[in-house]
Amino acid sequence: MTYWLMKSEPEEFALETLARRGARGEPWNGVRNYQARNFMRAMRVGDLALFYASNCLPPGVDGVMRVIREAYPDPSAWDPASPYADSRGTPERPVWDQVDVAWVATFDRRVDLGALRADAALADMLILRRGNRLSVTPVAAAAFRRICVLGGVGALKLGDSGREGAR
DNA sequence: GCCAACGTTGGC
DNA sequence: GCCAACGTTGGC
């Protein structure tokens, strides 16, 4: 299993909204960066991802999601009404992908950027690199677990939260 | 709102 | 293929 971090502006889409979707989950659409897209293509059903709230005060990790459907074309790319419309992608030749994610856990409180930076065990996180702007990044297993602990969600609770993804 | 850092575009 | 200009991201 691989662990991930995915950014969202909570005014656009908050973890709370994902929680209300329940098992149906939600497509993670609008990714328009090749590197981020390629990370999404590497995601497998059952992978866990941190939900990172960006462009808000304070930015930070709100909880955990699970990948419930692997990468498939993102139709918002060829929807002229979508803010993510991008002429590079067409239904015949899709360029951009989305995955479906479902809510797993919401932290007791947001693990904010300051807390992430203050923790030596997290120093290698891509998100903490200067100038980092990637909206989808892999996260080391140890860092993932550490952030869950900081958020008050232990491994047990994660394991209990739903069908554990086969691997 | 500012601005540094980055990815993308497009002229050459 | 270089690289300057531009648009976007996202913390502050």
Side-chain angles (χ1 to χ4, degrees):
Chain A
M1 131 132 61
T2 309
Y3 297 93
W4 308 93
L5 179 147
M6 303 171 89
K7 294 183 191 174
S8 176
E9 303 193 6
E11 279 196 20
E12 292 251 342
F13 186 76
L15 184 59
E16 188 193 356
T17 309
L18 184 64
R20 285 199 299 266
R21 298 283 190 272
R24 197 147 304 170
E26 177 85 0
W28 197 269
N29 63 9
V31 172
R32 296 294 179 266
N33 171 282
Y34 289 105
Q35 217 180 331
R37 180 202 66 182
N38 293 343
F39 282 136
M40 286 205 298
R41 287 180 173 177
M43 292 180 179
R44 294 298 169 254
V45 169
D47 282 359
L48 296 176
L50 300 167
F51 180 103
Y52 180 90
S54 69
N55 235 324
C56 56
L57 280 177
V61 180
D62 282 340
V64 179
M65 317 180 275
R66 185 192 316 276
V67 176
I68 59 169
R69 182 176 172 186
E70 295 175 10
Y72 63 103
D74 174 355
S76 69
W78 55 82
D79 174 4
S82 168
Y84 308 123
D86 185 332
S87 57
R88 280 175 285 186
T90 67
E92 295 74 29
R93 290 166 150 266
V95 172
W96 301 117
D97 282 358
Q98 61 191 7
V99 296
D100 287 358
V101 294
W103 177 88
V104 170
T106 298
F107 291 162
D108 298 339
R109 74 208 77 81
R110 177 173 291 169
V111 179
D112 67 46
L113 187 56
L116 298 177
R117 289 197 192 284
D119 196 313
L122 304 177
D124 289 338
M125 287 188 73
L126 292 174
I127 194 84
L128 300 182
R129 297 245 177 103
R130 200 167 132 82
N132 166 74
R133 281 171 26 189
L134 262 188
S135 64
V136 179
T137 51
V139 173
F144 181 90
R145 284 192 289 266
R146 175 65 184 149
I147 291 171
C148 288
V149 169
L150 293 175
V153 174
L156 235 182
K157 200 166 165 185
L158 275 184
D160 286 344
S161 67
R163 56 214 154 70
E164 191 50 44
R167 64 221 104 198

